[in-house]
Amino acid sequence: MNADELDWNRTLREQWEFHWNHQIRARLDGLTDDEYLWSPVPNAWSVRPRGSSTAPVQAGAGDFTIDYAFPPPTPAPFTTIAWRLGHVIVGVLAARNAAHFGAPAASYESWEYAGTAAAALDQLETQLDTWSTGVRSLGDDGLRVPVGDEEPFPDLPMAALVLHIHRELIHHLSEVCLLRDLYLHTKTATG
């Protein structure tokens, strides 16, 4: 097949959609609140009820905040499933959906973080749907348009951003799956 005849938009969407549909989505089914908030090590960053964090920054607009520091410490703290999902939902997806696809403004500071696993998964699905719809709306021509000042490298084409976001999703959601495995095997071994 000639590369000029390839539907690049569909190909980029399928990169993520295949991973989501065949490797990630089913692995998130049944995520419990205990797993969501479980900290396998002391002082892990998480999502916590407002006022209960000792992190240098507690970002969020609702009853729950996400732990953070700027600049991030070295080494970076270990993060819980709740933190990782919060990062994906807000920093990876919602902020990009707002910047590029007309979704409401979103930032770590303005977000209402989920206090339960079910609420976090609902937020994730909503942001993923918005992202996928937005990417589809770009068509092939929109993939060539520069991302603009909303991104650190404004001259890169939208296709580069789509690839970056898909790598972030695959990376962080695979970590969530690994933490679920660790939780299962740790709780089974000690329970």
Side-chain angles (χ1 to χ4, degrees):
M1 173 180 277
N2 182 334
D4 291 332
E5 297 171 7
L6 185 64
D7 183 340
W8 285 105
N9 188 284
R10 187 184 84 221
T11 301
L12 291 178
R13 287 191 330 269
E14 286 176 350
Q15 174 202 32
W16 162 246
E17 291 167 358
F18 180 87
H19 192 74
W20 173 251
N21 290 325
H22 298 285
Q23 296 178 336
I24 296 292
R25 183 62 194 106
R27 297 280 318 274
L28 297 177
D29 286 343
L31 180 69
T32 66
D33 292 346
D34 193 48
E35 288 174 282
Y36 176 66
L37 297 169
W38 177 62
S39 179
V41 301
N43 303 314
W45 279 358
S46 191
V47 169
R48 303 176 196 284
R50 180 170 295 286
S52 65
S53 175
T54 60
V57 175
Q58 299 101 53
D63 293 336
F64 292 85
T65 61
I66 194 167
D67 297 337
Y68 198 72
F70 191 81
T74 302
F78 191 86
T79 57
T80 65
I81 290 174
W83 192 96
R84 290 164 199 250
L85 287 176
H87 169 64
V88 167
I89 292 163
V90 180
V92 174
L93 291 169
R96 271 32 185 270
N97 288 336
H100 301 289
F101 301 127
S107 69
Y108 286 111
E109 296 77 20
S110 67
W111 194 259
E112 292 197 23
Y113 291 91
T116 66
L121 292 177
D122 285 345
Q123 287 182 348
L124 177 64
E125 295 253 7
T126 298
Q127 294 305 317
L128 285 171
D129 288 346
T130 302
W131 173 257
S132 295
T133 300
V135 171
R136 175 175 279 120
S137 75
L138 294 171
D140 279 356
D141 291 340
L143 291 172
R144 293 178 178 89
V145 173
V147 295
D149 293 335
E150 295 87 0
E151 299 295 336
F153 303 100
D155 295 330
L156 288 178
M158 279 298 292
L161 178 64
V162 171
L163 286 168
H164 169 68
I165 296 304
H166 291 176
R167 283 190 305 266
E168 285 284 294
L169 292 170
I170 292 166
H171 165 84
H172 289 300
L173 295 175
S174 295
E175 292 173 333
V176 168
C177 292
L178 179 63
L179 282 172
R180 287 199 79 191
D181 291 343
L182 182 62
Y183 176 88
L184 173 67
H185 290 280
T186 301
K187 293 297 182 175
T188 303
T190 61

